[in-house]
Amino acid sequence: MILGLLKEYGNETRVALLPEIVKTFTDLKVNVLVEQGAGKTAFAEDADYIAVGAKVVSRANVLEQAEVLLQIQPPAGGDIQKIKETQVWISAFNPLSGTELVKTFLENGVTTFSLDLIPRTSRAQSMDILSSMATVSGYMAVLDAAMKLPTFFPMFMTAAGTIRPANVLILGAGVAGLQAIATSRKLGAQVQVFDVRSEVKEQVMSLGGKFVEVEGATEDKAAGGYAVEQTEEFKLKQQQAINDHAAKANVVICTAQIPGRKAPLLIPKEAVAAMKPGSVIIDLAASSGGNCEITKNDETVVYNGVTVVGQSNYPAQMPVDASRMFGKNVLNFMKLIIGEEGVLNLNFEDDIVKGTCITNKGEIYNERVKSVMNK
Ligand code: NAD
């Protein structure tokens, strides 16, 4: 197999494979072509890739010669027109919302895999880029909030008096939320947490957070561990409880999401207005509409003295470890499609390969994408 590693677009600083992971591919007899400068912003030089057996070439050469093309972002610009039916495209392209891209891939006949749709099963855990990137985001969200907050996170007893610890409110205790709890606690804050899935209560408590219970949440075992839409009655009750806690919080970290839907609105404008000036809201759900009404995706706005950060790519602010985790996930996934002597072997009998495949020879493979496209 010839694997082509592409440089990311725009402000993205990560790279899908660091040289240390490329080495494992070359050991597996995969030929790796790397686009010039692909790892630069993640502190990996072209020479580092060459040292582990890769060839460094231009983007045009990678796009022309590689059998399998790999980058983190979806293809943009004219790239999509250059990908041929005989090639395989692997990235995270959010096909549940990016249906136009799926249509183009269907027309081109290209075989595509979207890493954000790797099934969330125990066997696929080591390939789960969503968990890896959520870990980075949860951690970075807390550090960013701590830097923007005009007060300390920990309690201090000093000769100049006692400083009270910060109150952090976390909405959603999935992967990012749990990491945000752990990081806030390490920095000495008091942490309160809301989630609609009661099973996370113990996890929240084991990390030192306080789980705020609102009775009457709808849970669905068939949702595969994810949250589902809530009743209007529950939403009202939860809203009142969140408003009360937000008014006392110094920091709110929003992570609540429902797969394939707009993020639930949990902090309306009035709740922001009732918060203390100087408080900080970090909205990790910004790209799917945000949990806070004031949030603007990829922007920071100040409303009544409250700083609201809509940052949807914190991993790009930690390019080395974010790339390291992403690359390890990709390697574990690609081991399923690398056969003897490094040849490409697409085994669609494997549930992970089939579940992650979006299009193949003009057909949609992923069932969730199929149902979205048929709507
Ligand atoms: P997510 O990003 O979809 O959502 C984040 C959190 O927001 C979830 O905990 C959800 O319950 C919560 N939420 C949604 N609506 C809410 C509301 N109205 N109010 C409060 N909270 C709300 O979730 P995620 O972090 O991607 O993962 C969720 C779960 O998926 C995990 O906890 C785990 O059970 C499962 N998971 C499994 C694997 C695996 O087996 N490979 C990997 C990762 C996650």
Side-chain angles (χ1 to χ4, degrees):
M1 174 200 306
I2 305 174
L3 171 63
L5 173 65
L6 293 160
K7 185 169 160 27
E8 303 294 324
Y9 310 115
N11 297 330
E12 180 59 74
T13 56
R14 293 170 295 167
V15 60
L17 302 175
L18 286 173
E20 65 201 45
I21 306 288
V22 167
K23 174 155 189 342
T24 314
F25 279 104
T26 51
D27 289 347
L28 289 170
K29 300 201 165 53
V30 172
N31 295 308
V32 184
L33 296 178
V34 176
E35 180 181 346
Q36 272 159 1
K40 185 101 186 140
T41 49
F43 303 93
E45 299 298 333
D46 290 349
D48 302 329
Y49 286 103
I50 293 168
V52 292
K55 241 167 108 181
V56 173
V57 295
S58 69
R59 186 173 191 89
N61 282 343
V62 178
L63 286 167
E64 172 68 31
Q65 292 167 23
E67 278 173 272
V68 177
L69 292 159
L70 174 67
Q71 73 174 38
I72 299 172
Q73 296 174 329
D79 281 350
I80 192 156
Q81 272 71 41
K82 295 181 191 139
I83 311 168
K84 298 182 289 278
E85 196 180 344
T86 49
Q87 289 174 306
V88 174
W89 174 270
I90 303 180
S91 74
F93 57 89
N94 195 7
L96 290 175
S97 354
T99 45
E100 280 309 306
L101 201 52
V102 177
K103 272 189 208 147
T104 315
F105 281 140
L106 277 177
E107 283 158 22
N108 290 0
V110 178
T111 303
T112 59
F113 291 93
S114 195
L115 298 166
D116 48 342
L117 285 193
I118 285 203
R120 289 190 124 177
T121 55
S122 318
R123 192 175 145 245
Q125 240 165 4
S126 65
M127 311 166 198
D128 189 2
I129 60 145
L130 289 183
S131 289
S132 302
M133 297 305 108
T135 300
V136 181
S137 298
Y139 172 81
M140 289 297 290
V142 174
L143 296 193
D144 197 13
M147 291 300 290
K148 290 186 163 66
L149 198 67
T151 56
F152 281 113
F153 253 52
M155 183 172 111
F156 281 130
M157 292 169 88
T158 77
T162 300
I163 302 283
R164 293 190 49 72
N167 275 316
V168 176
L169 174 64
I170 296 179
L171 304 179
V175 182
L178 291 173
Q179 184 54 239
I181 300 170
T183 309
S184 301
R185 292 292 298 150
K186 280 180 213 158
L187 285 176
Q190 289 179 340
V191 181
Q192 261 108 47
V193 184
F194 278 84
D195 201 302
V196 287
R197 294 181 300 125
S198 56
E199 65 177 86
V200 297
K201 181 179 174 180
E202 268 179 40
Q203 297 165 23
V204 168
M205 284 166 38
S206 71
L207 290 169
K210 184 169 175 275
F211 188 74
V212 187
E213 263 172 284
V214 181
E215 278 176 16
T218 310
E219 299 190 51
D220 182 359
K221 290 258 178 306
Y226 285 114
V228 291
E229 189 67 29
Q230 299 297 310
T231 62
E232 288 308 314
E233 189 192 351
F234 174 84
K235 282 187 197 169
L236 273 175
K237 250 203 291 183
Q238 188 194 32
Q239 191 61 70
Q240 193 51 56
I242 291 178
N243 287 2
D244 293 348
H245 281 78
K248 293 182 204 133
N250 303 100
V251 170
V252 181
I253 311 263
C254 304
T255 78
Q257 310 233 40
I258 304 169
R261 304 185 79 125
K262 195 173 175 302
L265 176 63
L266 302 174
I267 312 268
K269 243 197 287 204
E270 303 73 44
V272 183
M275 286 175 69
K276 290 183 277 239
S279 305
V280 179
I281 298 176
I282 307 278
D283 199 340
L284 292 179
S287 66
S288 50
N291 292 149
C292 172
E293 198 175 350
I294 300 298
T295 302
K296 285 207 165 64
N297 193 25
D298 288 331
E299 280 182 42
T300 297
V301 289
V302 179
Y303 184 82
N304 273 5
V306 178
T307 303
V308 184
V309 182
Q311 173 56 270
S312 42
N313 195 3
Y314 274 121
Q317 294 184 20
M318 197 191 276
V320 177
D321 272 341
S323 301
R324 180 168 286 137
M325 293 167 91
F326 194 99
K328 199 68 205 266
N329 293 146
V330 171
L331 171 66
N332 289 331
F333 170 70
M334 284 197 63
K335 278 182 179 165
L336 302 177
I337 59 168
I338 299 173
E340 300 264 314
E341 296 297 311
V343 298
L344 176 66
N345 173 29
L346 295 176
N347 172 17
F348 291 112
E349 300 288 303
D350 187 304
D351 63 315
I352 301 177
V353 176
K354 180 149 193 284
T356 312
C357 179
I358 308 305
T359 61
N360 183 38
K361 299 189 172 54
E363 236 188 278
I364 301 183
Y365 272 41
N366 181 287
E367 294 301 329
R368 280 164 72 200
V369 176
K370 208 182 272 179
S371 71
V372 170
M373 297 291 287
N374 287 341
K375 266 186 196 159

